[in-house]
Amino acid sequence: AAPRDVVVHLAPLAHLQDASVSAGQMTDLIHTEKELVQSLRDYIKAEESKLAAVKSWANKLDALTRVSTSDPEGYLAHPVNAYKLMKRLNTEWSELETLVLQNPSDGFISNMSVHRQVFPDAEDETGAAKALMRLQDTYQLDSEAFSRGKLPGMHANALLTVDDCFDMGKTGYNDADYYHAVLWMQQALKQLDGGEESVASKADILDYLSYSVYQMGDLPRAIDVSLCPALTAPGHQRAGGNLRYFERILTKQLSEQDQDQQPASEEPILLGTYQRPKDHLPERETYEALCRGEGLQMNDARRSRLFCRLQDGRRNPRLLLRPMKEEDEWDSPHIVRYLEVLSHEETEKIKELAKPRLARATVRDPKTGLLTTANYRVSKSAWLEEVDDPVIVRVNQRIEDITGLEVDTAELLQVANYGVGGQYEPHYDFSRKDEPDAFKRLGTGNRVATFLNYMSDVEAGGATVFPDLGAAIWPRKGTAVFWFNLFRSGEGDYRTRHAACPVLVGSKWVSNKWIHERGQEFRRPCGLTEEE
C-alpha cells in the first residue's frame, strides 16, 4: 500500500473543534477564561450583597419577634404595633420573598452560554493528554517531571494533581495504551500516598494500575497490586475477580515453563520499566533521538565543508544592494538557511491573517483518496493568497528572488501553528512513484523544492529533523531553510524525508512554499543521470 504521508495542497478553512487546538487559539481561550473569572466574581459579589440584605432582615425581625412574642396582647395593644404587623406580613415579607427569589447567577450563566461555543470539547481534552504523553516519550521525561512542572527551559511550575494524573492514566487506559496508563496511575498513587487530597480513591487508582500492569505482561506485579488492602476490602468485587484471574494465568504459565513463582519487583514503575510498544513508524527511535539533539551525524569533516556567504540570486536587481545571508546547514543533500528573510512586522501580519483561518492540517488517505486528519500530523494550518494582503505578494516575490525558481506554479503560502505537543512525523514532501496522481489536479508536476520560514523562536523542542541524514535544524525566528526534494532528473531524493518534532515548551509558527516542477525548465534544467 502507498505510504500515508502525502499532504494535499488545500485544506478546509472553517474552524474545527478537534484534538489539535493551536497555540494561537489557546491564547484566545486564556482571555476567555479571564473574562469568565471576572463574571464569576461579579456573581459572587451579587450573591454576597443579596445574603447581606437577607441577613439584615433576619437580624431586624429576630429582635422584633423576641419582643412581640414575650407579651403578644400587650404588644398588639399599641395601635402602631398592630398596624406595622399588618404591613410587614402583607408587604415587607413579600418584598423579602422577592429578594430571596432573585437569581444573581443569571448574568454569569448567560456569559457562560455565550463562551461555551468556543470551549474545547472532550476530544480536545483527550488530544491535550495525548500531547503530554507524546512529549513524555520523545523527550524522555518521567511522569514525576511533568507532575512537578520540571520541563527544559521552564522556570515556573505548573503542577498536576492526583486527579490530573489519574485522568491522564484513564486517557491511556481508554485508548488501550496501557504503557502510559501504568506510568500515570503510578504517579497518581505516589502523590496520593504522599498525602495529597483527591477525588479519586486509592482503590480506583490501584484497580486501573493492576489491570494495566497485567496488560504490560507483568503478572507478578499485577497480583501484588491487586493484593493491596484498598482492593481486597469487601465490596470491591471486580478487583477480587481480577486477582483470581491473574493468579490462574500465572499458575498456568509457570506450570507450562516448569518454573517457580518469582516475587514481584518492589522498584517503583518509572519511564523505562516497561518497553514502549512499537508503532507504525520504523525510524521512531532515530527520529525522537534527533528531536532531543542526540544521534546527530554532523562530524568535523562534514562541518568543514559548510560555509556561509552573501547570496544575490544570480545578480537579481532586488538583491544586489541587500544580498541574503546564506548558511549551509547540510552538505548532501544541500540544505541552506537564509537569515533575516522575514521581518517581525511581516511575521506578525502573516499570523494575523492566518489565525481566523486555522484548521486541523489534513493528509490524503491513500486507501480512500479523501482528506483526513492523522495522529502523525498534529497542527493547525491555513493557506494565504496574494489577494489577501500585499505582504503575501512580497513574500512570494522574495522566495522567487532567493531561490531563482518560478513561484507562479507553486502552491499557496501555507501557515502552520504547532501548539504544545504539535508535530509532523517523518514524511516526504514530494509524491513517489506509487502516487502518480497526487498533484495531477494542479497540473504543475511534482514538488521540486521546499522553502520553510520560521516565524517564531521555540523555547524547547520543535526542531526540523532528517532521520536518514542524522540532521536537526532548530527554529530561529525570521530565518528560512531551503532544500530540493527532487534530483535534476526529476527522481525523488529519498534522503529528504523529514519531520517536525513535537513542541515541548512554547509555540511554533512556520510558513512554507512548495515549489513545483512546471516553469523550472530553464531555471533548473534536467540532469542526464538518475541522481544528478
Side-chain angles (χ1 to χ4, degrees):
R4 303 184 297 169
D5 47 23
V6 172
V7 183
V8 299
H9 69 288
L10 289 176
L13 298 181
H15 174 72
L16 298 178
Q17 286 291 342
D18 53 36
S20 172
V21 180
S22 74
Q25 290 165 329
M26 290 181 73
T27 301
D28 294 337
L29 293 178
I30 288 288
H31 294 298
T32 296
E33 188 172 43
K34 180 181 179 181
E35 184 177 334
L36 287 175
V37 169
Q38 184 57 51
S39 178
L40 181 60
R41 290 193 178 280
D42 292 341
Y43 160 65
I44 292 171
K45 287 180 180 177
E47 283 283 15
E48 289 175 340
S49 176
K50 170 184 168 180
L51 289 174
V54 172
K55 186 176 181 181
S56 175
W57 274 80
N59 291 338
K60 180 179 68 174
L61 292 170
D62 187 48
L64 187 61
T65 54
R66 277 199 302 270
V67 173
S68 64
T69 56
S70 63
D71 181 12
E73 291 187 4
Y75 177 82
L76 292 174
H78 198 297
V80 171
N81 287 341
Y83 162 71
K84 293 188 71 172
L85 175 62
M86 296 299 105
K87 180 184 176 184
R88 281 198 306 275
L89 293 175
N90 181 55
T91 304
E92 296 181 7
W93 275 98
S94 295
E95 292 174 358
L96 179 59
E97 180 184 27
T98 301
L99 175 61
V100 171
L101 290 174
Q102 285 180 357
N103 192 349
S105 68
D106 287 346
F108 173 69
I109 296 301
S110 176
N111 206 4
M112 278 283 292
S113 299
V114 171
H115 289 298
R116 192 179 296 278
Q117 301 174 39
V118 296
F119 277 13
D121 57 17
E123 187 181 0
D124 292 314
E125 182 181 345
T126 299
K130 290 182 178 179
L132 291 189
M133 296 174 193
R134 188 181 307 126
L135 296 175
Q136 182 177 22
D137 295 336
T138 304
Y139 299 104
Q140 294 185 343
L141 301 168
D142 60 28
S143 304
E144 174 79 15
F146 260 117
S147 179
R148 300 307 175 199
K150 298 176 182 177
L151 301 181
M154 290 297 289
H155 302 291
N157 287 340
L159 306 181
L160 292 174
T161 65
V162 173
D163 292 311
D164 290 332
C165 295
F166 180 65
D167 288 338
M168 287 286 294
K170 282 202 298 184
T171 297
Y173 183 92
N174 292 334
D175 203 36
D177 178 5
Y178 301 108
Y179 172 78
H180 289 107
V182 167
L183 293 177
W184 286 101
M185 289 300 172
Q186 174 74 10
Q187 183 60 32
L189 182 64
K190 179 179 179 181
Q191 291 179 211
L192 186 66
D193 288 342
E196 287 189 29
E197 295 183 356
S198 71
V199 174
S201 68
K202 186 170 184 176
D204 287 338
I205 296 172
L206 289 169
D207 190 24
Y208 278 98
L209 179 61
S210 65
Y211 189 78
S212 298
V213 167
Y214 155 67
Q215 288 288 346
M216 293 305 297
D218 191 348
L219 271 171
R221 197 193 292 257
I223 292 172
D224 194 47
V225 173
S226 298
L227 287 170
C228 290
L231 279 181
T232 56
H236 213 296
Q237 296 179 352
R238 186 176 67 173
N242 284 345
L243 175 58
R244 291 187 292 274
Y245 176 67
F246 298 156
E247 288 176 332
R248 284 198 305 271
I249 293 178
L250 182 59
T251 301
K252 181 180 178 182
Q253 288 182 357
L254 294 175
S255 175
E256 291 174 350
Q257 300 169 8
D258 194 22
Q259 295 178 352
D260 295 328
Q261 182 172 344
Q262 299 297 318
S265 172
E266 296 183 0
E267 294 295 319
I269 304 172
L270 302 174
L271 203 68
T273 300
Y274 300 126
Q275 186 175 2
R276 182 173 151 205
K278 300 292 184 181
D279 63 10
H280 65 278
L281 195 62
E283 66 261 68
R284 170 72 63 190
E285 292 182 4
T286 301
Y287 157 54
E288 292 182 348
L290 289 172
C291 290
R292 297 190 298 271
E294 303 169 5
L296 301 174
Q297 300 300 311
M298 181 55 69
N299 53 35
D300 291 340
R302 173 163 265 154
R303 191 174 289 107
S304 68
R305 297 195 291 269
L306 305 183
F307 298 94
C308 58
R309 62 192 70 82
L310 293 176
Q311 204 259 75
D312 62 9
R314 299 178 183 176
R315 301 193 62 76
N316 185 294
R318 283 178 288 271
L319 295 179
L320 282 176
L321 296 180
R322 188 180 178 275
M324 294 301 303
K325 300 173 183 176
E326 181 183 274
E327 297 177 348
D328 291 333
E329 286 281 353
W330 203 258
D331 53 351
S332 181
H334 196 201
I335 304 173
V336 297
R337 187 195 296 262
Y338 297 104
L339 279 59
E340 300 173 9
V341 175
L342 296 178
S343 68
H344 173 73
E345 291 73 22
E346 287 172 329
T347 59
E348 293 307 301
K349 184 61 179 180
I350 292 171
K351 287 193 283 188
E352 177 188 328
L353 292 170
K355 278 183 180 180
R357 311 182 185 191
L358 289 173
R360 177 74 184 267
T362 57
V363 297
R364 185 181 296 280
D365 188 323
K367 295 181 180 179
T368 65
L370 301 176
L371 299 181
T372 182
T373 59
N375 290 332
Y376 59 87
R377 190 184 193 192
V378 183
S379 66
K380 290 284 181 103
S381 64
W383 299 79
L384 300 181
E385 304 182 58
E386 293 191 347
V387 295
D388 292 326
D389 193 272
V391 70
I392 308 302
V393 178
R394 293 199 305 273
V395 170
N396 286 342
Q397 183 63 60
R398 195 170 303 152
I399 292 173
E400 180 170 309
D401 293 342
I402 294 171
T403 64
L405 299 175
E406 174 65 64
V407 298
D408 284 349
T409 58
E411 297 176 47
L412 301 179
L413 187 71
Q414 181 184 223
V415 181
N417 181 210
Y418 298 81
V420 173
Q423 64 163 358
Y424 192 179
E425 290 179 355
H427 62 282
Y428 302 100
D429 279 351
F430 62 92
S431 67
R432 274 78 71 210
K433 292 180 180 179
D434 53 4
E435 306 164 315
D437 298 332
F439 305 115
K440 184 176 181 179
R441 191 166 68 86
L442 293 178
T444 53
N446 209 342
R447 288 173 175 164
V448 67
T450 296
F451 194 96
L452 178 64
N453 296 300
Y454 293 116
M455 301 198 300
S456 66
D457 294 312
V458 180
E459 286 86 341
T464 304
V465 299
F466 295 75
D468 291 351
L469 305 177
I473 299 174
W474 306 97
R476 284 155 51 191
K477 184 178 179 179
T479 70
V481 291
F482 172 77
W483 66 86
F484 283 102
N485 297 305
L486 307 179
F487 292 109
R488 286 183 177 273
S489 63
E491 294 294 323
D493 188 344
Y494 285 80
R495 299 171 300 172
T496 61
R497 183 172 169 86
H498 60 287
C501 294
V503 175
L504 179 57
V505 178
S507 173
K508 178 183 176 183
W509 284 89
V510 299
S511 60
N512 64 275
K513 196 76 171 173
W514 280 309
I515 302 172
H516 282 246
E517 292 176 292
R518 182 69 56 83
Q520 317 306 338
E521 294 83 358
F522 298 104
R523 298 191 180 217
R524 192 188 188 231
C526 290
L528 300 178
T529 63
E530 186 173 319
E531 295 188 358
E532 185 179 347

